[in-house]
Amino acid sequence: VPEPAPAAPAARAPRRVRRTALVTALVLSLLAIGAGAGWAYVRSQFYVGVDGEQVAIFRGVDGEVGPLRLSTVEERTELTTDRLDALAASRVQEGVVVADRQAAQDFVGRLIDRFPECVEAPAPAPSPTVTAAPGASAAPTPTSAPTPTAAPTPTAAPTPTAGPCPTSP
């Protein structure tokens, strides 16, 4: 009885190569899906922290992976950390994790409400100036009767003070 011939090693090699390629492709696909899901999760997070001296709202998580920063500044506020009390400044410098962007804005709003005089007021708008048109005379023109006008009363503009704003050590 003739014995069956053993399978040639060349026939097994293509199957093994295909199987290895299939497993490698599957593992790489799973890694890519996991990285994409992880990045989507990171970008869905928000926290209130510090950018320089300003309180800011960040998207992402506070940290880095190698050279990759896991958060970006979404919104800078006018509130600075030197105007917060020591506890509030410490909390913000560590980063206050919030549920979403609206919760971050609400948190910053509560800080501003707590320290209202500590937010820099916008500069007042300059008053308009009157200029004469070219060729116009600066001499007054006579009118039939002068009309009485009330003189504006000067008002003192409040000046910001650092008194009510706590400073952190």
Side-chain angles (χ1 to χ4, degrees):
V1 169
E3 287 188 27
R12 288 187 198 177
R15 270 191 212 161
R16 187 171 291 171
V17 168
R18 272 186 267 144
R19 183 180 305 157
T20 302
L22 182 63
V23 169
T24 302
L26 180 64
V27 168
L28 290 176
S29 296
L30 290 174
L31 285 174
I33 290 169
W39 186 249
Y41 170 78
V42 165
R43 297 304 295 165
S44 71
Q45 303 301 304
F46 286 88
Y47 70 96
V48 177
V50 177
D51 182 40
E53 289 295 316
Q54 286 182 294
V55 175
I57 297 173
F58 290 83
R59 176 187 289 262
V61 295
D62 190 15
E64 299 169 356
V65 175
L68 181 63
R69 180 104 173 104
L70 299 178
S71 65
T72 57
V73 175
E74 282 289 303
E75 181 180 335
R76 286 181 182 80
T77 68
E78 297 159 357
L79 189 61
T80 58
T81 56
D82 63 343
R83 295 304 193 182
L84 301 175
D85 63 23
L87 178 62
S90 173
R91 285 189 65 206
V92 170
Q93 286 171 344
E94 290 176 12
V96 178
V97 177
V98 293
D100 55 17
R101 185 182 183 125
Q102 184 60 49
Q105 290 171 334
D106 292 344
F107 180 81
V108 170
R110 286 190 303 272
L111 282 176
I112 291 172
D113 289 345
R114 188 170 166 199
F115 306 104
E117 49 290 307
C118 300
V119 177
E120 294 179 19
S127 58
T129 58
V130 178
T131 58
S137 150
T141 56
T143 59
S144 59
T147 56
T149 59
T153 58
T155 59
T159 57
T161 61
C165 298
T167 56
S168 56

